[in-house]
Amino acid sequence: MGKSSEVAEPTAPGKMSRADFEKALRKLQVELVRLQTWAVAEGARIVVVFEGRDTAGKGGVISRITQRTSPRVYKHVALPKPSDRERSQLYLQRYLEHFPAAGEIVLFDRSWYNRAGVERVMGFCSEAEYERFLRLAPSFERYIVDEGIILLKYFLDVSQEEQRRRFEARLTDPVKHWKLSPMDVESVRRWWEYSAAYQAMFEATDTAHAPWYMVPADDKRRARLNLIDHLLGRIPYRNVKIELPRMPKPPAPPKDAIRELRSMHAVPAVY
């Protein structure tokens, strides 16, 4: 498989320091860049599904994956609620539009599994639509894998207490207010309904060709490292040598050289 074994950090009790986290993350991000180079060189197509409870950290781990990589290769897909036109299409159609071409890695921040989670719990789909989805999802994913696409599915899970703590933190932090919505209130109120829906989803769609991988996420830092390490280990990439360009010497300035660019409008140096 991939290079996971070379970068894995041992699990230790207690809270992981930021310094230890950043050190381990740096090693993993080097491997993510190597995976990127391999995917482009080999024309690989990769789909990674990130599902989980609200506040579990799906966006956080995706941001660490894309932090040092190319947006032309790693594509973060977080779809809004469907439009009237999309609701008239095949349910899976709007997701297929974002599937990878050769040399692309698509990261779905929530996915077609909305039907088995929020749509099921909140009543946004009918019983027949829900049951049809659970019946067809394994076949759909078999088709994806048989087409040569690497498919990985992750579910980030948090405890009820930790979820509530993170919601309360969002209420007091202005930069996190955008993360709050009426659906978040319902995820707290309907915790046990979501538990039942997710368990039914696992039982119906955890298959040999597209298994679910559970990520305990009460500890955000370890969850991020563990998920990225596992992802690297599930993809058979290799280190592809890159021919780096050689930087030329800067040329000598001509007699009439403009040595400093000037503009009528400059940004004030406030900091």
Side-chain angles (χ1 to χ4, degrees), residues 9-10 13-18 20-21 24 219 221-222 225:
E9 293 289 314
K15 185 177 180 180
M16 174 178 277
S17 70
R18 178 172 292 278
D20 287 344
F21 170 72
D219 186 328
R221 290 173 181 169
R222 285 195 170 88
L225 297 176

Side-chain angles (χ1 to χ4, degrees), residues 267-271:
V267 175
V270 177
Y271 297 96

Side-chain angles (χ1 to χ4, degrees), residues 54-242:
D54 289 334
T55 77
K58 297 177 292 297
V61 70
I62 291 172
S63 71
R64 271 48 176 203
I65 292 171
T66 59
Q67 187 176 21
R68 306 294 182 188
T69 55
S70 170
R72 296 185 182 90
V73 178
Y74 286 87
K75 298 178 180 295
H76 181 185
V77 177
L79 299 182
K81 66 179 183 180
S83 64
D84 290 341
R85 181 176 182 276
E86 288 172 329
R87 279 192 286 269
S88 71
Q89 297 174 341
L90 294 173
Y91 174 69
L92 294 166
Q93 189 170 337
R94 75 184 193 127
Y95 297 102
L96 284 169
E97 290 174 357
H98 296 276
F99 266 51
E104 294 180 348
I105 302 169
V106 176
L107 312 173
F108 278 104
D109 187 348
R110 296 204 182 276
S111 68
W112 48 94
Y113 282 101
N114 276 339
R115 175 134 296 176
V118 63
E119 291 189 19
R120 168 64 169 172
V121 173
M122 298 302 299
F124 296 155
C125 66
S126 68
E127 186 72 19
E129 289 172 328
Y130 165 74
E131 292 179 355
R132 182 163 60 249
F133 172 78
L134 289 186
R135 187 173 65 254
L136 294 179
S139 298
F140 169 64
E141 291 169 0
R142 166 59 73 184
Y143 170 73
I144 294 171
V145 173
D146 286 349
E147 283 292 307
I149 296 175
I150 296 173
L151 174 63
L152 295 172
K153 302 188 304 190
Y154 291 101
F155 188 94
L156 287 79
D157 193 28
V158 290
S159 65
Q160 200 170 15
E161 296 75 16
E162 180 63 15
Q163 185 188 67
R164 184 171 183 82
R165 188 194 69 77
R166 291 180 187 180
F167 274 138
E168 290 173 349
R170 290 180 181 182
L171 288 170
T172 59
D173 188 346
V175 302
K176 295 182 178 179
H177 286 173
W178 66 272
K179 294 185 175 184
L180 293 167
S181 73
M183 288 297 100
D184 296 326
V185 176
E186 292 301 323
S187 70
V188 174
R189 181 179 292 125
R190 299 175 186 248
W191 172 273
W192 299 112
E193 290 94 328
Y194 271 104
S195 295
Y198 289 140
Q199 189 59 46
M201 177 184 79
F202 296 145
E203 292 174 2
T205 63
D206 182 36
T207 61
H209 59 270
W212 279 104
Y213 295 106
M214 181 76 72
V215 184
D218 275 13
D219 186 328
K220 279 188 177 182
R221 290 173 181 169
R222 285 195 170 88
R224 290 165 180 169
L225 297 176
N226 289 333
L227 192 155
I228 296 171
D229 179 80
H230 184 273
L231 183 155
L232 290 166
R234 297 302 303 172
I235 300 173
Y237 73 100
R238 58 182 174 80
N239 192 10
V240 177
K241 186 177 180 181
I242 301 175

